[in-house]
Coordinates of all heavy atoms in Angstrom, one line a residue:
L1 N 10.4 -8.3 14.0 CA 11.1 -7.8 12.9 C 12.4 -8.4 12.6 O 13.0 -8.3 11.5 CB 11.4 -6.3 13.1 CG 10.3 -5.3 13.2 CD1 10.7 -3.9 13.6 CD2 9.5 -5.3 11.9
G2 N 12.9 -9.3 13.5 CA 14.1 -10.0 13.3 C 15.4 -9.2 13.2 O 16.4 -9.5 12.4
V3 N 15.4 -8.2 14.0 CA 16.7 -7.3 14.1 C 17.4 -7.5 15.4 O 17.0 -8.0 16.3 CB 16.3 -5.8 14.0 CG1 15.5 -5.5 12.7 CG2 15.3 -5.4 15.1
V4 N 18.7 -7.2 15.3 CA 19.6 -7.3 16.5 C 20.0 -6.0 17.2 O 20.6 -5.9 18.1 CB 20.8 -8.1 16.2 CG1 20.4 -9.5 15.8 CG2 21.7 -7.4 15.1
V5 N 19.6 -4.9 16.5 CA 20.0 -3.6 17.0 C 18.7 -2.8 16.8 O 18.0 -2.9 15.8 CB 21.2 -2.9 16.3 CG1 21.4 -1.5 16.7 CG2 22.4 -3.7 16.4
G6 N 18.4 -1.8 17.8 CA 17.1 -1.0 17.6 C 17.2 0.3 18.2 O 18.1 0.5 19.1
A7 N 16.4 1.2 17.8 CA 16.3 2.5 18.4 C 14.8 3.0 18.3 O 14.2 2.6 17.3 CB 17.2 3.6 17.6
L8 N 14.4 3.8 19.2 CA 13.0 4.2 19.3 C 13.1 5.7 19.4 O 13.9 6.4 20.2 CB 12.3 3.8 20.6 CG 10.9 4.3 20.8 CD1 9.9 3.8 19.6 CD2 10.3 3.9 22.1
Y9 N 12.4 6.4 18.4 CA 12.4 7.8 18.3 C 10.9 8.4 18.6 O 10.0 7.7 18.1 CB 12.8 8.3 16.9 CG 14.2 8.0 16.6 CD1 14.6 6.8 16.1 CD2 15.2 9.0 16.8 CE1 16.0 6.5 15.8 CE2 16.6 8.8 16.4 CZ 16.9 7.5 16.0 OH 18.2 7.2 15.7
L10 N 10.9 9.4 19.3 CA 9.5 10.0 19.6 C 9.5 11.3 18.9 O 10.4 12.1 18.8 CB 9.3 10.2 21.2 CG 9.1 8.9 22.0 CD1 8.8 9.3 23.4 CD2 7.9 8.1 21.4
R11 N 8.3 11.6 18.4 CA 8.0 12.9 17.7 C 7.5 13.9 18.8 O 6.7 13.7 19.6 CB 6.9 12.7 16.8 CG 6.6 13.8 15.9 CD 5.6 13.4 14.8 NE 5.4 14.6 13.9 CZ 4.7 14.5 13.0 NH1 3.9 13.4 12.6 NH2 4.5 15.5 12.1
A12 N 8.3 15.0 18.9 CA 8.0 16.1 19.7 C 6.9 17.0 19.3 O 6.6 17.0 18.1 CB 9.3 16.9 20.0
P13 N 6.3 17.9 20.1 CA 5.2 18.8 19.7 C 5.7 19.7 18.4 O 4.9 20.0 17.6 CB 4.9 19.6 20.8 CG 5.2 18.7 22.0 CD 6.5 17.9 21.5
D14 N 7.0 20.0 18.4 CA 7.5 20.9 17.3 C 7.7 20.1 15.9 O 8.1 20.6 15.0 CB 8.8 21.6 17.6 CG 10.0 20.7 17.8 OD1 9.8 19.5 17.8 OD2 11.0 21.2 18.1
G15 N 7.4 18.7 16.0 CA 7.6 17.9 14.8 C 8.9 17.3 14.7 O 9.1 16.4 13.8
S16 N 10.0 17.5 15.6 CA 11.2 17.0 15.5 C 11.1 15.5 16.1 O 10.1 15.2 16.7 CB 12.3 17.8 16.3 OG 11.9 17.8 17.7
F17 N 12.1 14.7 15.9 CA 12.2 13.3 16.4 C 13.5 13.2 17.2 O 14.5 13.7 16.8 CB 12.3 12.4 15.2 CG 11.0 12.3 14.4 CD1 10.8 13.2 13.4 CD2 10.0 11.4 14.7 CE1 9.6 13.1 12.7 CE2 8.9 11.4 14.0 CZ 8.7 12.2 13.0
R18 N 13.3 12.6 18.5 CA 14.4 12.4 19.3 C 14.5 11.0 19.8 O 13.5 10.3 20.1 CB 14.2 13.3 20.5 CG 15.3 13.3 21.5 CD 15.1 14.3 22.7 NE 14.0 14.0 23.4 CZ 13.9 13.3 24.5 NH1 15.0 12.7 25.0 NH2 12.8 13.1 25.2
R19 N 15.7 10.4 19.8 CA 16.0 9.1 20.2 C 15.8 9.0 21.7 O 16.4 9.8 22.5 CB 17.3 8.6 19.9 CG 17.5 7.1 20.1 CD 18.9 6.5 19.8 NE 19.8 7.2 20.6 CZ 21.1 7.4 20.4 NH1 21.6 6.9 19.3 NH2 22.0 8.0 21.2
V20 N 14.9 8.1 22.2 CA 14.6 8.0 23.6 C 15.1 6.6 24.1 O 15.2 6.5 25.3 CB 13.2 8.2 23.9 CG1 12.7 9.6 23.6 CG2 12.3 7.2 23.1
A21 N 15.4 5.7 23.2 CA 15.9 4.4 23.7 C 16.6 3.7 22.5 O 16.4 4.0 21.4 CB 14.7 3.5 24.1
S22 N 17.6 2.9 22.9 CA 18.3 2.1 21.9 C 18.9 0.8 22.5 O 19.1 0.8 23.7 CB 19.4 3.0 21.2 OG 20.4 3.4 22.1
Y23 N 19.3 0.0 21.6 CA 19.9 -1.3 22.0 C 20.9 -1.7 21.0 O 20.6 -1.8 19.7 CB 18.8 -2.4 22.3 CG 19.5 -3.7 22.6 CD1 19.9 -3.9 23.9 CD2 19.6 -4.7 21.7 CE1 20.4 -5.1 24.2 CE2 20.2 -5.9 22.0 CZ 20.5 -6.2 23.2 OH 21.2 -7.4 23.6
G24 N 22.2 -2.0 21.4 CA 23.2 -2.6 20.4 C 24.0 -1.7 19.8 O 24.8 -2.1 19.0
F25 N 23.9 -0.4 19.8 CA 24.7 0.5 19.2 C 26.1 0.6 19.9 O 26.2 0.4 21.0 CB 24.1 1.9 19.1 CG 23.0 2.1 18.3 CD1 21.7 2.1 18.8 CD2 23.2 2.3 16.9 CE1 20.6 2.3 17.9 CE2 22.1 2.3 16.0 CZ 20.8 2.3 16.5
S26 N 27.1 0.9 19.0 CA 28.5 1.1 19.7 C 28.3 2.3 20.7 O 27.5 3.2 20.6 CB 29.5 1.5 18.6 OG 29.2 2.7 18.0
D27 N 29.4 2.3 21.6 CA 29.4 3.4 22.6 C 29.5 4.9 21.8 O 28.9 5.8 22.3 CB 30.6 3.2 23.5 CG 30.4 2.0 24.5 OD1 29.2 1.7 24.8 OD2 31.4 1.5 25.0
E28 N 30.3 4.9 20.9 CA 30.4 6.1 20.1 C 29.1 6.6 19.5 O 28.7 7.8 19.7 CB 31.4 6.0 18.9 CG 31.6 7.2 18.1 CD 32.4 6.9 16.8 OE1 33.3 6.1 16.8 OE2 32.3 7.8 15.9
W29 N 28.4 5.7 19.0 CA 27.1 6.1 18.4 C 26.1 6.4 19.5 O 25.2 7.4 19.3 CB 26.5 4.9 17.5 CG 25.4 5.3 16.8 CD1 24.0 5.1 17.0 CD2 25.3 6.1 15.5 NE1 23.2 5.7 16.0 CE2 24.0 6.2 15.1 CE3 26.4 6.6 14.7 CZ2 23.6 6.9 13.9 CZ3 26.1 7.2 13.6 CH2 24.7 7.5 13.2
E30 N 26.2 5.7 20.6 CA 25.2 6.1 21.8 C 25.4 7.6 22.2 O 24.5 8.2 22.7 CB 25.5 5.2 22.9 CG 24.9 3.8 22.8 CD 23.4 3.7 22.9 OE1 22.7 4.7 23.3 OE2 22.8 2.7 22.5
Q31 N 26.6 8.1 22.1 CA 26.9 9.4 22.6 C 26.5 10.5 21.7 O 26.5 11.7 22.1 CB 28.5 9.5 22.9 CG 28.9 8.6 24.0 CD 28.1 8.5 25.3 OE1 27.9 9.7 25.8 NE2 27.8 7.4 25.8
R32 N 26.2 10.2 20.5 CA 25.8 11.2 19.5 C 24.4 11.7 19.8 O 23.5 11.0 20.2 CB 25.8 10.6 18.1 CG 27.2 10.3 17.6 CD 27.0 9.8 16.2 NE 28.2 9.4 15.6 CZ 28.5 9.1 14.4 NH1 27.5 9.1 13.5 NH2 29.8 8.7 14.0
D33 N 24.3 13.0 19.6 CA 22.9 13.7 19.7 C 22.0 13.0 18.7 O 22.3 13.1 17.4 CB 23.0 15.2 19.6 CG 21.7 15.8 19.7 OD1 20.8 15.3 20.5 OD2 21.4 16.9 19.1
Q34 N 20.8 12.5 19.0 CA 20.0 12.0 18.0 C 18.6 12.7 18.0 O 17.6 12.2 18.5 CB 19.7 10.5 18.3 CG 21.0 9.6 18.1 CD 21.3 9.5 16.5 OE1 20.5 9.0 15.9 NE2 22.4 10.0 16.2
Q35 N 18.6 13.9 17.5 CA 17.4 14.7 17.4 C 17.4 15.3 16.0 O 18.5 15.8 15.5 CB 17.3 15.8 18.4 CG 16.0 16.5 18.4 CD 15.8 17.4 19.6 OE1 16.5 17.2 20.6 NE2 14.7 18.2 19.5
F36 N 16.3 15.1 15.3 CA 16.2 15.5 13.9 C 14.9 16.3 13.7 O 14.0 16.1 14.3 CB 16.1 14.2 13.0 CG 17.1 13.2 13.2 CD1 16.8 12.0 13.8 CD2 18.4 13.4 12.8 CE1 17.7 11.0 13.9 CE2 19.3 12.4 12.9 CZ 19.0 11.2 13.5
K37 N 15.2 17.3 12.8 CA 14.0 18.2 12.3 C 13.2 17.4 11.5 O 13.6 16.3 10.9 CB 14.6 19.4 11.6 CG 15.4 20.3 12.6 CD 15.9 21.5 11.7 CE 16.7 22.3 12.7 NZ 17.4 23.4 12.0
P38 N 11.9 17.7 11.3 CA 11.0 16.9 10.6 C 11.3 16.5 9.1 O 11.0 15.4 8.7 CB 9.7 17.8 10.4 CG 9.8 18.7 11.6 CD 11.3 18.9 11.9
A39 N 12.1 17.3 8.4 CA 12.5 17.0 7.1 C 13.9 16.6 6.8 O 14.4 16.7 5.8 CB 12.0 18.1 6.1
E40 N 14.7 16.4 7.9 CA 16.1 16.2 7.7 C 16.7 14.8 7.9 O 17.8 14.6 8.0 CB 16.9 17.2 8.5 CG 16.9 16.9 10.0 CD 17.8 17.8 10.8 OE1 18.3 18.9 10.2 OE2 18.1 17.5 11.9
S41 N 15.8 13.8 8.0 CA 16.3 12.5 8.2 C 15.4 11.4 7.7 O 14.2 11.7 7.4 CB 16.4 12.2 9.8 OG 15.2 12.1 10.3
L42 N 16.0 10.2 7.5 CA 15.2 9.1 7.0 C 14.2 8.6 8.1 O 13.2 8.1 7.8 CB 16.1 7.9 6.5 CG 17.0 8.3 5.3 CD1 17.8 7.2 5.0 CD2 16.0 8.5 4.1
V43 N 14.6 8.8 9.3 CA 13.7 8.5 10.5 C 12.4 9.2 10.3 O 11.4 8.7 10.3 CB 14.5 8.8 11.8 CG1 13.5 8.8 12.9 CG2 15.6 7.8 12.0
A44 N 12.6 10.5 10.2 CA 11.4 11.4 10.1 C 10.6 11.1 8.8 O 9.4 11.0 8.8 CB 11.8 12.8 10.0
Q45 N 11.3 10.8 7.7 CA 10.6 10.5 6.4 C 9.7 9.2 6.5 O 8.7 9.2 6.1 CB 11.7 10.3 5.3 CG 11.0 10.0 3.9 CD 12.1 9.9 2.9 OE1 13.2 10.2 3.0 NE2 11.6 9.2 1.7
A46 N 10.3 8.1 7.1 CA 9.6 7.0 7.3 C 8.4 7.1 8.2 O 7.3 6.7 7.9 CB 10.4 5.9 7.9
A47 N 8.6 8.0 9.3 CA 7.4 8.2 10.2 C 6.3 9.1 9.4 O 5.1 8.8 9.7 CB 7.9 8.9 11.5
L48 N 6.7 10.1 8.9 CA 5.7 11.1 8.3 C 5.1 10.3 7.1 O 3.8 10.6 6.9 CB 6.4 12.3 7.7 CG 7.0 13.2 8.8 CD1 7.9 14.3 8.2 CD2 5.9 13.7 9.7
E49 N 5.7 9.4 6.3 CA 5.1 8.7 5.3 C 4.4 7.4 5.7 O 3.7 6.8 4.9 CB 6.1 8.5 4.2 CG 6.6 9.7 3.5 CD 7.7 9.4 2.5 OE1 7.9 8.2 2.2 OE2 8.3 10.4 1.9
R50 N 4.6 7.1 7.0 CA 4.0 5.9 7.5 C 4.4 4.7 6.7 O 3.5 3.9 6.4 CB 2.6 6.0 7.7 CG 2.2 7.1 8.8 CD 0.8 7.2 9.0 NE 0.5 8.2 9.9 CZ -0.6 8.4 10.6 NH1 -1.6 7.6 10.5 NH2 -0.7 9.4 11.5
R51 N 5.6 4.5 6.4 CA 6.0 3.3 5.5 C 7.3 2.8 5.9 O 8.1 3.5 6.6 CB 6.1 3.7 4.1 CG 7.2 4.6 3.7 CD 7.2 5.0 2.2 NE 8.3 5.8 1.8 CZ 9.4 5.4 1.2 NH1 9.5 4.2 0.8 NH2 10.3 6.3 0.9
I52 N 7.5 1.5 5.8 CA 8.7 0.8 6.2 C 9.7 1.0 5.1 O 9.4 1.0 3.9 CB 8.5 -0.7 6.3 CG1 7.6 -1.0 7.5 CG2 9.8 -1.5 6.4 CD1 7.2 -2.4 7.6
M53 N 11.0 1.4 5.5 CA 12.1 1.7 4.5 C 13.2 0.8 4.9 O 13.6 0.6 6.1 CB 12.5 3.2 4.7 CG 11.5 4.1 4.3 SD 12.0 5.8 4.6 CE 13.3 6.0 3.4
R54 N 13.8 0.1 3.9 CA 14.9 -0.8 4.0 C 16.0 -0.2 3.2 O 15.9 0.1 2.1 CB 14.6 -2.2 3.7 CG 15.8 -3.1 3.9 CD 15.5 -4.6 3.4 NE 16.4 -5.4 4.1 CZ 16.2 -6.3 5.0 NH1 15.0 -6.2 5.7 NH2 17.1 -7.0 5.5
L55 N 17.2 -0.1 3.9 CA 18.3 0.5 3.3 C 19.5 -0.5 3.2 O 19.9 -1.1 4.2 CB 19.0 1.7 4.1 CG 17.9 2.8 4.5 CD1 18.6 3.8 5.4 CD2 17.3 3.5 3.3
E56 N 19.8 -0.9 1.9 CA 20.9 -1.8 1.8 C 21.5 -1.7 0.4 O 20.6 -1.4 -0.5 CB 20.5 -3.2 2.1 CG 19.4 -3.8 1.2 CD 18.9 -5.2 1.6 OE1 19.6 -5.8 2.5 OE2 17.9 -5.6 1.1
P57 N 22.7 -1.9 0.1 CA 23.7 -2.0 1.0 C 24.1 -0.7 1.6 O 23.7 0.2 1.1 CB 24.9 -2.6 0.2 CG 24.7 -2.0 -1.2 CD 23.1 -2.0 -1.4
L58 N 24.8 -0.8 2.7 CA 25.2 0.4 3.4 C 26.8 0.7 3.2 O 27.5 -0.2 3.2 CB 24.9 0.3 4.9 CG 23.4 0.1 5.3 CD1 23.3 -0.1 6.7 CD2 22.7 1.4 4.9
P59 N 27.1 2.0 3.3 CA 28.6 2.3 3.3 C 29.2 1.7 4.7 O 28.5 1.6 5.7 CB 28.7 3.8 3.3 CG 27.3 4.2 2.9 CD 26.3 3.2 3.2
S60 N 30.4 1.3 4.7 CA 31.0 0.8 5.9 C 31.0 1.7 7.0 O 31.0 1.2 8.2 CB 32.4 0.2 5.6 OG 33.2 1.3 5.2
D61 N 31.0 3.0 6.8 CA 31.0 3.9 7.9 C 29.7 4.6 8.2 O 29.6 5.5 8.9 CB 32.0 5.1 7.6 CG 31.6 5.9 6.4 OD1 30.6 5.4 5.6 OD2 32.1 6.9 6.2
Y62 N 28.6 3.9 7.7 CA 27.2 4.5 8.0 C 26.8 4.4 9.5 O 26.3 5.5 10.0 CB 26.2 3.7 7.2 CG 24.8 4.3 7.1 CD1 24.5 5.5 6.4 CD2 23.8 3.7 7.9 CE1 23.3 6.0 6.4 CE2 22.5 4.3 7.9 CZ 22.3 5.5 7.2 OH 21.1 6.0 7.2
I63 N 27.1 3.3 10.1 CA 26.7 3.2 11.5 C 27.5 2.1 12.0 O 27.9 1.1 11.3 CB 25.2 3.1 11.7 CG1 24.7 3.2 13.1 CG2 24.7 1.6 11.1 CD1 23.2 3.1 13.4
Q64 N 27.8 2.1 13.3 CA 28.5 0.9 14.0 C 27.6 0.3 15.2 O 27.0 1.1 15.9 CB 29.8 1.4 14.6 CG 30.8 1.8 13.6 CD 31.4 0.5 12.9 OE1 31.7 -0.5 13.4 NE2 31.4 0.6 11.6
V65 N 27.5 -1.0 15.1 CA 26.8 -1.7 16.2 C 27.8 -2.5 17.0 O 28.9 -2.8 16.5 CB 25.7 -2.6 15.5 CG1 24.7 -1.7 14.8 CG2 26.2 -3.6 14.6
S66 N 27.4 -2.9 18.2 CA 28.4 -3.7 19.1 C 27.6 -4.7 19.9 O 26.4 -4.4 20.2 CB 29.3 -2.8 19.8 OG 28.5 -2.1 20.7
S67 N 28.4 -5.6 20.4 CA 27.7 -6.6 21.4 C 28.9 -7.0 22.3 O 30.2 -6.6 22.1 CB 27.2 -7.8 20.7 OG 28.2 -8.6 20.2
G68 N 28.7 -7.9 23.1 CA 29.8 -8.5 24.0 C 30.9 -9.1 23.2 O 32.0 -9.3 23.7
L69 N 30.6 -9.5 22.0 CA 31.5 -10.3 21.1 C 32.3 -9.5 20.1 O 33.3 -9.9 19.5 CB 30.8 -11.4 20.3 CG 30.0 -12.3 21.2 CD1 29.2 -13.3 20.2 CD2 31.0 -13.2 22.0
G70 N 32.0 -8.2 20.1 CA 32.7 -7.2 19.2 C 31.8 -6.3 18.6 O 30.7 -6.1 18.9
G71 N 32.3 -5.6 17.5 CA 31.5 -4.6 16.7 C 31.7 -4.7 15.3 O 32.7 -5.4 14.9
A72 N 30.8 -4.2 14.5 CA 30.8 -4.3 13.0 C 29.8 -3.3 12.5 O 29.0 -2.7 13.1 CB 30.4 -5.8 12.6
A73 N 29.9 -3.1 11.2 CA 28.9 -2.4 10.4 C 27.9 -3.3 10.0 O 28.1 -4.4 9.5 CB 29.7 -1.7 9.2
P74 N 26.6 -2.9 10.1 CA 25.5 -3.7 9.6 C 25.4 -3.8 8.1 O 25.8 -2.9 7.4 CB 24.2 -3.0 10.2 CG 24.7 -1.5 10.3 CD 26.1 -1.5 10.5
A75 N 24.7 -4.8 7.6 CA 24.5 -5.0 6.2 C 23.3 -4.2 5.7 O 23.3 -3.8 4.5 CB 24.3 -6.5 5.9
S76 N 22.4 -4.0 6.6 CA 21.1 -3.2 6.2 C 20.6 -2.5 7.3 O 20.8 -2.8 8.5 CB 20.2 -4.1 5.6 OG 19.7 -5.1 6.5
V77 N 19.6 -1.5 7.1 CA 18.9 -0.8 8.1 C 17.4 -0.9 7.8 O 17.0 -0.7 6.6 CB 19.4 0.6 8.2 CG1 18.4 1.5 9.0 CG2 20.8 0.8 8.8
L78 N 16.6 -1.2 8.8 CA 15.2 -1.2 8.6 C 14.5 0.0 9.3 O 14.8 0.0 10.6 CB 14.6 -2.6 9.0 CG 13.1 -2.7 8.8 CD1 12.7 -2.8 7.3 CD2 12.6 -3.9 9.5
L79 N 13.8 0.9 8.8 CA 13.1 1.9 9.4 C 11.6 1.6 9.4 O 11.0 1.5 8.4 CB 13.3 3.3 8.7 CG 14.7 3.7 8.6 CD1 14.9 4.8 7.6 CD2 15.4 4.1 9.9
A80 N 11.1 1.3 10.6 CA 9.6 0.8 10.6 C 8.8 1.7 11.7 O 9.1 1.5 13.0 CB 9.6 -0.6 11.0
P81 N 8.0 2.6 11.2 CA 7.3 3.4 12.1 C 6.1 2.6 12.8 O 5.6 1.7 12.2 CB 6.6 4.5 11.2 CG 6.6 3.9 9.9 CD 7.7 3.0 9.8
P82 N 5.8 2.9 14.0 CA 4.8 2.2 14.7 C 3.4 2.5 14.1 O 3.2 3.6 13.5 CB 4.8 2.6 16.1 CG 5.5 3.9 16.1 CD 6.4 3.9 14.9
E83 N 2.4 1.6 14.2 CA 1.1 1.9 13.6 C 0.2 2.5 14.6 O 0.4 2.4 15.7 CB 0.5 0.6 13.1 CG 1.3 0.1 11.9 CD 0.7 -1.1 11.2 OE1 -0.5 -1.4 11.5 OE2 1.3 -1.8 10.5

């Protein structure tokens, strides 16, 4: 996919989605609860519709990513459900 930050969400039996793994997010973002009801997030929408969604441009405060070299706001977000 050519991305530098990622997150994996699993669907629970009740239909909610919970982040179970991630890479490259800022420490602040890592600490946030990442569980969504079926109809309340773009993560759920992409999964339920089984389609790739690209969001760009993003507001500067949408999400923060980090690496050993520093942190920044991403230019875009790609939501790609597994097949």
